[in-house]
Amino acid sequence: MDILGATLRICVDDLETAVPFYERLAGGRALRFERGGVQVAAVGCFLLMSGERAEIEVLRKVAATIAVKDVDEAHRVLTELGAHIVAGPVATPAGRNLIAMHPDGAVYEYVDRNS
C-alpha cells in the first residue's frame, strides 16, 4: 500500500475565524466544502471541520487522514493486518475513503483521489 501523506484533522468552533490563521500558516488558500452537515476547509496539511456538536464528536475520534494511492488496496492490507473497517470504502467529493480502527484502537481515515 502506497501512503502518499497525512492530513491533520482539527475540529474548530468557528471555521470563519480559524481559516485565515491556517491559510497564513500554510501559505495557501482553503478549499471549502460541506459533508454531512459539517463545514470543511482544507488548507495545506490541515483539515478544519466545524458543525453540530454530535457530528464533531464523531469526527474527533479519527486521529488523522492518510492519503493512499488506492483505497481498495488499503482495505485489503488493513484487513490482512487485523484492522477493523468501520466504514467504507465510499465515494466523497474528492475521491473515495474508508475509516479503519487499527489493532491498537487508533482510528484513521484513508482517502484516495480516484473517482
Side-chain angles (χ1 to χ4, degrees), residues 2-102:
D2 292 333
I3 295 178
L4 307 175
T7 301
L8 304 170
R9 300 165 60 96
I10 304 168
C11 297
V12 299
D13 291 330
D14 183 354
L15 197 64
E16 296 310 313
T17 300
V19 165
F21 172 84
Y22 284 96
E23 284 180 333
R24 188 96 190 267
L25 183 66
R29 302 278 303 154
L31 169 66
R32 295 174 183 241
F33 58 95
E34 182 179 335
R35 181 146 187 240
V38 174
Q39 298 297 316
V40 181
V43 56
C45 66
F46 303 102
L47 188 64
L48 309 174
M49 299 171 285
S50 184
E52 295 296 322
R53 176 169 281 172
E55 290 291 329
I56 293 300
E57 288 309 312
V58 170
L59 295 172
R60 286 186 196 278
K61 294 178 181 171
V62 180
T65 298
I66 300 170
V68 295
K69 188 173 180 180
D70 182 7
V71 162
D72 292 328
E73 180 184 9
H75 184 277
R76 181 183 56 76
V77 170
L78 288 161
T79 302
E80 288 173 3
L81 293 173
H84 170 66
I85 306 303
V86 176
V90 297
T92 72
R96 297 176 308 140
N97 79 342
L98 66 81
I99 306 291
M101 180 183 295
H102 293 187

